Amino acid sequence: PKAANIATQTKPENITIAVDANGTIYWNNGAVPDTQALLEMIKVEAVKQPQPEIHIRGDAQARFEAIGKVIY
Protein backbone atom coordinates (compact mmCIF):
# COMPACT_ATOMS: atom_id res chain seq x y z
CA PRO A 1 0.00 0.00 0.00
CA LYS A 2 1.03 3.56 -0.66
CA ALA A 3 0.46 6.38 1.77
CA ALA A 4 -0.39 9.87 0.61
CA ASN A 5 -0.42 13.06 2.59
CA ILE A 6 -3.27 15.02 1.03
CA ALA A 7 -4.84 17.94 2.84
CA THR A 8 -8.51 17.41 3.57
CA GLN A 9 -10.68 20.18 2.24
CA THR A 10 -13.75 20.85 4.32
CA LYS A 11 -16.86 21.45 2.25
CA PRO A 12 -19.08 24.32 3.28
CA GLU A 13 -22.64 23.62 4.28
CA ASN A 14 -25.28 24.32 1.68
CA ILE A 15 -27.67 27.16 2.44
CA THR A 16 -31.35 26.94 1.61
CA ILE A 17 -33.29 30.13 1.06
CA ALA A 18 -37.02 29.47 0.95
CA VAL A 19 -40.07 31.63 0.33
CA ASP A 20 -43.42 30.47 1.70
CA ALA A 21 -46.91 31.20 0.38
CA ASN A 22 -47.10 34.40 2.47
CA GLY A 23 -43.81 35.74 1.05
CA THR A 24 -41.83 35.11 4.23
CA ILE A 25 -38.16 34.43 3.50
CA TYR A 26 -36.26 31.73 5.40
CA TRP A 27 -32.50 31.17 5.70
CA ASN A 28 -32.24 27.45 6.31
CA ASN A 29 -34.95 27.15 8.99
CA GLY A 30 -34.91 30.68 10.40
CA ALA A 31 -37.10 33.53 9.21
CA VAL A 32 -35.33 36.56 7.70
CA PRO A 33 -36.87 39.95 8.61
CA ASP A 34 -36.46 41.57 5.16
CA THR A 35 -34.53 41.47 1.89
CA GLN A 36 -31.86 43.85 3.21
CA ALA A 37 -31.06 41.41 6.04
CA LEU A 38 -30.94 38.60 3.47
CA LEU A 39 -28.47 40.57 1.36
CA GLU A 40 -26.22 41.10 4.38
CA MET A 41 -26.31 37.37 5.18
CA ILE A 42 -25.37 36.52 1.59
CA LYS A 43 -22.48 39.01 1.69
CA VAL A 44 -21.02 37.18 4.70
CA GLU A 45 -21.15 33.86 2.86
CA ALA A 46 -19.84 35.29 -0.43
CA VAL A 47 -16.34 35.92 0.95
CA LYS A 48 -15.90 32.43 2.40
CA GLN A 49 -13.55 30.01 0.69
CA PRO A 50 -14.82 27.66 -0.50
CA GLN A 51 -18.17 29.30 -1.07
CA PRO A 52 -21.26 27.40 0.00
CA GLU A 53 -24.00 26.54 -2.47
CA ILE A 54 -27.21 28.51 -2.08
CA HIS A 55 -30.42 26.71 -3.02
CA ILE A 56 -33.54 28.82 -3.56
CA ARG A 57 -36.91 27.17 -3.06
CA GLY A 58 -40.33 28.66 -3.51
CA ASP A 59 -43.59 27.33 -2.13
CA ALA A 60 -45.97 26.28 -4.89
CA GLN A 61 -48.43 28.88 -3.61
CA ALA A 62 -45.85 31.69 -3.38
CA ARG A 63 -46.20 34.61 -5.75
CA PHE A 64 -43.43 34.80 -8.32
CA GLU A 65 -42.68 38.37 -7.25
CA ALA A 66 -41.80 37.20 -3.72
CA ILE A 67 -39.32 34.68 -5.08
CA GLY A 68 -38.00 37.22 -7.58
CA LYS A 69 -37.01 39.54 -4.72
CA VAL A 70 -34.68 36.83 -3.46
CA ILE A 71 -33.10 36.21 -6.87
CA TYR A 72 -32.61 39.83 -7.85
Side-chain angles (χ1 to χ4, degrees):
K2 292 184 180 181
N5 188 6
I6 301 172
T8 303
Q9 186 176 33
T10 304
K11 287 188 153 194
E13 295 218 12
N14 293 339
I15 297 164
T16 301
I17 298 174
V19 180
D20 69 9
N22 296 322
T24 303
I25 301 170
Y26 295 89
W27 181 276
N28 289 330
N29 293 322
V32 178
D34 54 35
T35 54
Q36 185 60 39
L38 177 64
L39 179 60
E40 294 304 318
M41 295 167 83
I42 291 172
K43 285 180 182 179
V44 169
E45 299 300 321
V47 297
K48 291 184 177 179
Q49 289 299 329
Q51 291 182 334
E53 292 179 15
I54 295 181
H55 300 258
I56 301 172
R57 301 178 191 270
D59 184 281
Q61 301 301 316
R63 295 184 48 84
F64 177 76
E65 293 82 7
I67 298 168
K69 285 195 285 185
V70 171
I71 297 171
Y72 303 107

